[in-house]
Amino acid sequence: MSDVRHVLVLPDRDAAEEVARELAERFGVGEEPQILRDALAGEDDAEDAQWLVVLADADGRLDPAALDEFAAEYEGWREEP
Protein backbone atom coordinates (compact mmCIF):
# COMPACT_ATOMS: atom_id res chain seq x y z
CA MET A 1 0.00 0.00 0.00
CA SER A 2 1.32 3.47 -0.81
CA ASP A 3 2.25 5.97 1.87
CA VAL A 4 -0.60 8.49 1.67
CA ARG A 5 -0.25 11.82 3.44
CA HIS A 6 -2.85 14.52 3.89
CA VAL A 7 -1.81 18.13 4.45
CA LEU A 8 -4.29 20.45 6.13
CA VAL A 9 -3.46 24.16 5.85
CA LEU A 10 -4.62 26.32 8.76
CA PRO A 11 -4.50 30.08 9.35
CA ASP A 12 -2.72 30.02 12.74
CA ARG A 13 -0.98 27.84 15.28
CA ASP A 14 -3.97 27.61 17.64
CA ALA A 15 -6.17 26.25 14.84
CA ALA A 16 -3.46 23.77 13.80
CA GLU A 17 -3.03 22.48 17.36
CA GLU A 18 -6.79 22.15 17.84
CA VAL A 19 -7.16 20.31 14.51
CA ALA A 20 -4.34 17.92 15.46
CA ARG A 21 -6.10 17.09 18.75
CA GLU A 22 -9.51 16.78 17.14
CA LEU A 23 -8.29 14.39 14.41
CA ALA A 24 -7.93 11.58 16.95
CA GLU A 25 -11.47 12.06 18.24
CA ARG A 26 -13.29 12.61 14.96
CA PHE A 27 -11.33 10.38 12.61
CA GLY A 28 -9.73 7.85 14.94
CA VAL A 29 -6.23 8.87 13.89
CA GLY A 30 -3.77 6.95 16.04
CA GLU A 31 -0.48 8.47 14.92
CA GLU A 32 0.26 11.98 16.17
CA PRO A 33 -0.07 14.44 13.25
CA GLN A 34 2.93 16.64 12.52
CA ILE A 35 2.47 20.42 12.89
CA LEU A 36 4.69 22.62 10.75
CA ARG A 37 4.96 26.37 10.23
CA ASP A 38 5.02 27.38 6.57
CA ALA A 39 6.14 30.97 5.98
CA LEU A 40 4.56 32.43 2.88
CA ALA A 41 7.00 33.15 0.07
CA GLY A 42 8.51 36.61 0.35
CA GLU A 43 6.95 37.37 3.73
CA ASP A 44 9.17 38.29 6.67
CA ASP A 45 6.38 38.86 9.15
CA ALA A 46 5.77 35.83 11.36
CA GLU A 47 2.06 36.69 11.39
CA ASP A 48 1.90 35.87 7.67
CA ALA A 49 2.63 32.18 8.15
CA GLN A 50 0.35 29.28 7.51
CA TRP A 51 0.38 26.22 9.72
CA LEU A 52 0.33 22.74 8.27
CA VAL A 53 -0.99 19.60 9.89
CA VAL A 54 0.59 16.62 8.12
CA LEU A 55 -1.23 13.38 8.62
CA ALA A 56 -0.06 9.90 7.58
CA ASP A 57 -2.78 7.65 6.16
CA ALA A 58 -0.93 4.47 5.18
CA ASP A 59 -4.16 2.47 4.91
CA GLY A 60 -5.88 5.11 2.78
CA ARG A 61 -8.91 4.99 5.07
CA LEU A 62 -9.42 8.74 5.59
CA ASP A 63 -11.99 10.38 3.32
CA PRO A 64 -10.46 13.42 1.58
CA ALA A 65 -13.87 15.12 1.29
CA ALA A 66 -14.47 14.72 5.04
CA LEU A 67 -11.00 16.17 5.75
CA ASP A 68 -11.82 19.11 3.43
CA GLU A 69 -14.99 19.85 5.41
CA PHE A 70 -13.17 19.41 8.72
CA ALA A 71 -10.38 21.85 7.76
CA ALA A 72 -12.97 24.36 6.51
CA GLU A 73 -14.49 24.45 10.01
CA TYR A 74 -11.19 26.06 11.10
CA GLU A 75 -10.94 28.38 8.05
CA GLY A 76 -8.44 26.04 6.43
CA TRP A 77 -8.30 23.56 3.57
CA ARG A 78 -6.72 20.28 2.52
CA GLU A 79 -3.90 20.50 -0.01
CA GLU A 80 -4.09 18.10 -2.92
CA PRO A 81 -0.94 15.94 -3.05
Side-chain angles (χ1 to χ4, degrees):
M1 181 92 3
S2 65
D3 184 24
V4 176
R5 293 198 184 280
H6 299 283
V7 178
L8 305 181
V9 182
L10 288 305
D12 57 50
R13 183 179 187 146
D14 289 342
E17 289 175 347
E18 191 169 334
V19 162
R21 282 191 303 271
E22 193 73 19
L23 281 166
E25 290 180 31
R26 294 203 19 201
F27 294 93
V29 173
E31 186 179 323
E32 181 82 19
Q34 188 176 14
I35 299 174
L36 304 170
R37 181 180 175 273
D38 183 32
L40 300 176
E43 297 293 336
D44 294 329
D45 187 354
E47 295 299 312
D48 290 329
Q50 294 174 327
W51 288 82
L52 309 178
V53 176
V54 181
L55 175 63
D57 184 19
D59 299 331
R61 64 179 188 80
L62 296 173
D63 178 13
L67 289 172
D68 279 335
E69 289 177 19
F70 176 62
E73 292 175 24
Y74 294 89
E75 299 180 16
W77 65 91
R78 184 183 60 86
E79 279 289 306
E80 288 293 335

